[in-house]
Amino acid sequence: MKSGRNTKSAVAGIFLCLMAATLFAADTNGPAILPWPQQVTLRAGAFKLTPQTRIYVDPASRPTATFLTARLRQSTGYPLKTRTKFFSARAIEGGILLTTRAANTNLGPEGYELTVAPDSVVLRAPTQAGLFYGVQTLFQLLPPEIFSSNVVQAADWRMPCIQIEDWPRFRWRGFMLDVARHFYNRQQVERILDAMAFQKLNRFHWHLTDDQGWRIEIKKYPKLTQVGAWRAGVGFGLDPKSTTAYGPDGRYGGFYTQADIREVVKYAAARHITIVPEIEMPGHSTAALAAYPQFSCTGGPFSIPLKGGVFNGIYNPADEATFKFLDDVLTEVFQLFPGQYVHLGGDEVPQDTWKNNPACQALMKRDGLTNEDELQSWFMKRMEKFVGAHGRTMVGWSEILKGGLASNAVVMDWIGGATEAASSGHDVVMTPTQFCYFDYYQSTNRASEPLAIGGFLPLEKVYSLEPIPADLPEQYAPHILGAQGNLWTEYIPNLHYAEYMIFPRLTALAEVDWSPDSARNFDDFSRRLQVEFQRFAELGINYRPNLTNVPTATLTQ
Ligand code: ACM
C-alpha cells in the first residue's frame, strides 16, 4: 500500500552520518523497537538530548508534542521548550521537529517517518496518530530509563542516527479486557490503555457485561448497576483477599459511572485508541436479568453466579419489551462511545431455554424459523439493524454466523468462521483461542504458575499467529482487519496478575499486528524483549520474565 521515501521531506543535514545499514528484517543488533518498523536504516552517530534541546511543532500537533515533552521531562528533568512559530529546516538544528506538514501521505493514516541525525530529529506524519506512534518509537531509541517516573541523573540520553519509515500492517490492533468476571477500576483501565498505546495498539475492546457482572451505568435502568454490578463474593474459588473491589456493604464488584466512561473514552482518544464496548446478548446476561428478570423467558429470579460456566440468563426474543430495553441500553451506549464499532456478543447461547419456552416456539413458527440457531440469528439481525440505524457497526463473536449472518456485521473469530465471513464480504477480527487467549497458562508446569483457566499459550505461539487464514482467497484478505488479544478474567482478580498474563504476550501480538510478516523473527524479538522488560520495570508493569516453558518460580529466585 505504501512505498518509497519522500526525499523532499528529508531535512538538510541528515546525511552527515557516515555509514548506513538498511535493516530489512529484525535480525540484527538494531535498536529494541517493538513492534519492529516497516523500514529501518541505521547510521553511525547519535543525537544527544540536552536541557537546551528545542521541540519544534506545528500548532495542530502541539498535544502530541506535549505528550513527548511530559515524558522526557519526568525522566530527564529537562524543561524542554516548545516552539510553534514558523520554523525552517535550518532553524531546527539541535532540535526535535514534530509536524504533519510536508508529510508523505503514502505513509497512511497511522504511519510516520522518523529521521534521527546528529544535529536534529525530524518526525513527520500525515496524521496525529502517526506522529503519536513516531513518538513511541522515539522513546524506544532512548535508554529504557526514559520511562522512569523520577529524574535519572546518570543516564546518557542519546538516540542512534536512524531513518525509519513505518506504518501498521493491520488496522485493528486490539486488546480485550473482561471487567465482568472481575472488576478493574477506571485508573486500572487507564493504566492498560497506557501500555496499549506504548505498543501501538489502537482498539480497546471493553467486555462490560456478562453473567457475573454488569459494569456500565445506564441511567434509564439503574438496577443494572445497583443489582447487576455486585455479587456475594469474589467467587471462582479465589481468596477473598486477592482483590480490594468490595462495596461498602461487603459485596464484591463495582461499575463505571457515565462520567467515568466519558473520562476513559477521552483518555483513550488522546492515545489514539478507540474503545469498542461490548454489551452481551442474548446469552451471558444473567447479571442484567438478576436486575430486570421481566426480560427473560422464565421471569426469574436470577442470582449472579460466583463461578464460570454457561448460565441460563438469556433474553426473551418473544417479548417486544426486551427489544425496547436493549434499544434503550444501546442508545445510552452510543452516546458514551463515539467509535464506529459496538460489540453485542452473541457467543455461547444456551438455547435450551428457548427450546422449552412456548412463546419462543410460537415466534419461530410465526417467522418460519426452523431451529434455535435461526432464532438466534433473527435476534442478532434485529439488533444489527438497530445498531446500523444509528450509524454504527455491530461486532459479534463467531457464533453470529450460525443460522445466517446479519448483513453488515463484523465477525470476531474465536472458534472459527473467519474464512466464511470474509469470503462473503464481511470484515473479521482474529482472536483464535489457540493464539490470542491470554487467560491460558504460559507454561505446562502449571504448579509453577498462578492459577489460570487452563490451556497453554506460550509467547512463541502468540508470535507465530498469521492473521490471514491460509484458506482465504487472496482477494478477501483486506477483510481481515487485524488481530486482538483477549483477557478473560475468571481467575484473574487483580491488575498485578492481569499484567503478568498480558505481558509480554501482548507485545508479541503487537508485532504480529504491526510489523511486516517478512520481519517476524522470534530470536530477534526475544533479544529486543530484554530491553522491553527494562522499560516495563521502569513503568512498574508486571510481566512474565521468562520466554519459555520454564517455571517462573525458579527463574525469579
Ligand atoms: C468467548 O470466549 N466466549 C468469546
Side-chain angles (χ1 to χ4, degrees), residues 182 231-239 242 246 252 305-307 490:
H182 284 101
R231 60 183 190 241
V234 65
F236 299 93
L238 300 177
D239 179 354
S242 59
Y246 295 99
Y252 173 85
L306 288 162
K307 57 183 173 63
E490 283 91 338

Side-chain angles (χ1 to χ4, degrees), residues 280 284 347-348 397 399 414 433 437 486 488:
E280 271 268 20
H284 282 287
D347 58 319
E348 299 180 312
W397 298 107
E399 290 95 321
W414 72 291
T433 55
Y437 269 42
N486 293 338
W488 300 104

Side-chain angles (χ1 to χ4, degrees), residues 240-473:
K241 290 198 281 296
S242 59
T243 171
T244 55
Y246 295 99
D249 61 0
R251 284 186 301 169
Y252 173 85
F255 65 92
Y256 311 101
T257 64
Q258 295 203 347
D260 283 335
I261 297 217
R262 287 202 175 86
E263 286 301 314
V264 175
V265 167
K266 217 165 31 174
Y267 194 90
R271 287 153 184 76
H272 301 278
I273 295 171
T274 303
I275 299 187
V276 180
E278 182 180 355
I279 307 295
E280 271 268 20
M281 61 189 73
H284 282 287
S285 300
T286 307
L289 294 171
Y292 295 98
Q294 62 267 42
F295 305 125
S296 71
C297 293
T298 60
F302 294 90
S303 62
I304 300 184
L306 288 162
K307 57 183 173 63
V310 175
F311 298 95
N312 63 354
I314 173 171
Y315 291 116
N316 178 9
D319 185 353
E320 278 304 304
T322 302
F323 292 102
K324 168 83 170 67
F325 165 76
L326 293 173
D327 292 358
D328 286 345
V329 167
L330 289 182
T331 299
E332 293 192 32
V333 168
F334 297 148
Q335 284 162 1
L336 291 168
F337 295 96
Q340 184 61 36
Y341 298 97
V342 176
H343 201 307
L344 299 189
D347 58 319
E348 299 180 312
V349 179
Q351 293 173 342
D352 278 353
T353 308
W354 288 346
K355 250 188 205 131
N356 300 326
N357 182 274
C360 291
Q361 294 303 312
L363 164 66
M364 287 169 61
K365 206 161 165 197
R366 185 196 77 192
D367 282 30
L369 308 171
T370 56
N371 56 43
E372 283 70 23
D373 279 347
E374 288 184 12
L375 178 57
Q376 190 174 326
S377 163
W378 178 93
F379 186 110
M380 296 312 284
K381 281 177 177 164
R382 181 167 172 161
M383 295 313 302
E384 193 267 338
K385 273 210 185 72
F386 183 75
V387 172
H390 286 78
R392 308 300 180 95
T393 304
M394 184 188 99
V395 185
W397 298 107
S398 295
E399 290 95 321
I400 66 168
L401 279 154
K402 291 206 283 186
L405 183 53
S407 48
N408 295 310
V410 172
V411 173
M412 191 167 270
D413 176 341
W414 72 291
I415 46 168
T419 297
E420 181 188 342
S423 50
S424 61
H426 290 263
D427 285 345
V428 172
V429 177
M430 297 303 295
T431 66
T433 55
Q434 64 274 32
F435 294 92
C436 295
Y437 269 42
F438 296 168
D439 54 338
Y440 288 5
Y441 278 101
Q442 301 186 71
S443 168
T444 51
N445 296 296
R446 287 191 179 180
S448 71
E449 294 290 313
L451 179 68
I453 201 159
F456 174 47
L457 177 53
L459 184 67
E460 194 160 1
K461 177 91 178 176
V462 179
Y463 195 75
S464 73
L465 172 65
E466 171 43 56
I468 299 183
D471 61 350
L472 182 67

Side-chain angles (χ1 to χ4, degrees), residues 39-305:
Q39 290 172 22
V40 178
T41 306
L42 196 58
R43 299 195 165 100
F47 176 92
K48 187 166 168 58
L49 202 64
T50 74
Q52 284 73 44
T53 303
R54 283 277 184 141
I55 311 292
Y56 299 88
V57 63
D58 62 75
S61 307
R62 212 178 217 292
T64 310
T66 304
F67 196 90
L68 170 70
T69 51
R71 160 72 62 206
L72 296 180
R73 182 165 193 159
Q74 261 192 337
S75 48
T76 65
Y78 301 163
L80 302 175
K81 293 214 175 67
T82 303
R83 270 185 76 104
T84 48
K85 289 226 185 75
F86 175 80
F87 40 76
S88 66
R90 181 180 299 227
I92 68 151
E93 236 171 73
I96 300 175
L97 168 65
L98 269 73
T99 186
T100 54
R101 288 186 201 157
N104 178 0
T105 53
N106 286 336
L107 293 165
E110 297 182 294
Y112 65 93
E113 183 173 25
L114 175 64
T115 307
V116 179
D119 59 355
S120 67
V121 175
V122 178
L123 173 56
R124 281 185 206 277
T127 66
Q128 292 305 312
L131 274 188
F132 183 80
Y133 294 135
V135 165
Q136 302 306 325
T137 299
L138 189 156
F139 290 145
Q140 295 185 339
L141 295 174
L142 287 160
E145 291 80 10
I146 203 70
F147 291 104
S148 168
S149 45
N150 304 307
V151 174
V152 182
Q153 300 289 359
D156 184 10
W157 304 116
R158 275 172 214 267
M159 293 176 242
C161 287
I162 204 164
Q163 166 76 24
I164 295 172
E165 284 165 39
D166 200 11
W167 58 88
R169 182 177 172 207
F170 289 104
R171 287 179 279 167
W172 185 301
R173 305 182 300 281
F175 174 67
M176 186 210 79
L177 182 68
D178 165 15
V179 296
R181 272 54 177 268
H182 284 101
F183 180 63
Y184 294 82
N185 65 30
R186 188 187 123 197
Q187 287 72 23
Q188 292 170 329
V189 168
E190 289 178 351
R191 203 178 138 86
I192 287 176
L193 291 169
D194 278 333
M196 284 180 64
F198 160 56
Q199 321 226 350
K200 302 189 175 87
L201 298 172
N202 68 352
R203 297 277 181 271
F204 177 60
H205 172 174
W206 206 356
H207 186 79
L208 287 163
T209 75
D210 213 303
D211 293 309
Q212 295 86 353
W214 180 285
R215 307 291 177 210
I216 172 175
E217 178 190 27
I218 299 294
K219 302 269 192 202
K220 202 159 183 177
Y221 299 97
K223 284 197 285 185
L224 282 171
T225 44
Q226 287 163 2
V227 174
W230 304 98
R231 60 183 190 241
V234 65
F236 299 93
L238 300 177
D239 179 354
K241 290 198 281 296
S242 59
T243 171
T244 55
Y246 295 99
D249 61 0
R251 284 186 301 169
Y252 173 85
F255 65 92
Y256 311 101
T257 64
Q258 295 203 347
D260 283 335
I261 297 217
R262 287 202 175 86
E263 286 301 314
V264 175
V265 167
K266 217 165 31 174
Y267 194 90
R271 287 153 184 76
H272 301 278
I273 295 171
T274 303
I275 299 187
V276 180
E278 182 180 355
I279 307 295
E280 271 268 20
M281 61 189 73
H284 282 287
S285 300
T286 307
L289 294 171
Y292 295 98
Q294 62 267 42
F295 305 125
S296 71
C297 293
T298 60
F302 294 90
S303 62
I304 300 184

